[in-house]
């Protein structure tokens, strides 16, 4: 079994910054991509950013240039640095880890951006 624990969510002002963390524990051998998704009120869950074990990254157009995903393979941890936050970034943010053939999810952390 694999458990993902997110932290770092909360309230921020528009234009501010927050950093999310996600630690994977349990049977985390050969972990492939680690990703962040988000789900806003009344919206579908969408990919925000992903990073593979070699550090190759992928971003949603809406966050490119403002958000930075990184990972520490030794600590089985991924981070999402969020800058220049906008009110439309308000959502529950979920961490996902790919350990083939399965995908595992965290419980989510709320990010609220106020104007």
């Amino acid at each position: 079994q694999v458990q993902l624990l997110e932290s770092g969510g909360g309230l921020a002002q528009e234009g501010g910054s927050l950093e999310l963390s996600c630690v994977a524990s349990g049977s985390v051998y050969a972990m492939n991509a680690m990703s962040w998704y988000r789900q806003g009120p009344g919206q579908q869950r969408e990919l925000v950013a992903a990073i593979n074990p070699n550090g190759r990254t992928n971003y949603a157009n809406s966050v490119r240039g403002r958000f930075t995903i990184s990972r520490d393979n030794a600590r089985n941890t991924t981070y999402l640095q969020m800058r220049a936050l906008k009110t439309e970034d308000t959502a529950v943010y979920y961490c996902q880890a790919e350990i083939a053939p399965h995908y595992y999810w965290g419980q989510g952390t709320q990010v609220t951006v106020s104007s």
Side-chain angles (χ1 to χ4, degrees):
Q1 279 287 7
V2 175
Q3 295 81 40
L4 300 178
L5 181 63
E6 300 114 331
S7 61
L11 179 64
Q13 294 279 347
E14 198 166 28
S17 301
L18 283 173
E19 184 177 65
L20 306 182
S21 301
C22 172
V23 181
S25 61
S27 301
V28 294
Y29 312 108
M31 187 159 53
N32 293 326
M34 298 188 80
S35 306
W36 289 95
Y37 285 74
R38 68 186 181 186
Q39 188 166 16
Q43 298 179 358
Q44 292 187 333
R45 192 173 296 189
E46 63 174 358
L47 176 68
V48 175
I51 184 168
N52 75 3
N54 296 324
R56 184 171 182 176
T57 58
N58 182 42
Y59 294 93
N61 289 335
S62 59
V63 307
R64 187 174 289 112
R66 300 188 297 120
F67 291 10
T68 303
I69 188 171
S70 60
R71 69 189 280 172
D72 183 336
N73 292 329
R75 292 181 168 83
N76 298 315
T77 301
T78 184
Y79 305 93
L80 185 68
Q81 178 69 44
M82 304 183 292
R83 298 183 177 89
L85 285 163
K86 303 177 180 180
T87 55
E88 51 263 44
D89 295 320
T90 295
V92 178
Y93 285 70
Y94 297 91
C95 176
Q96 183 201 67
E98 177 193 0
I99 302 174
H102 303 293
Y103 292 88
Y104 298 89
W105 293 90
Q107 81 288 351
T109 185
Q110 176 71 45
V111 171
T112 302
V113 183
S114 63
S115 59

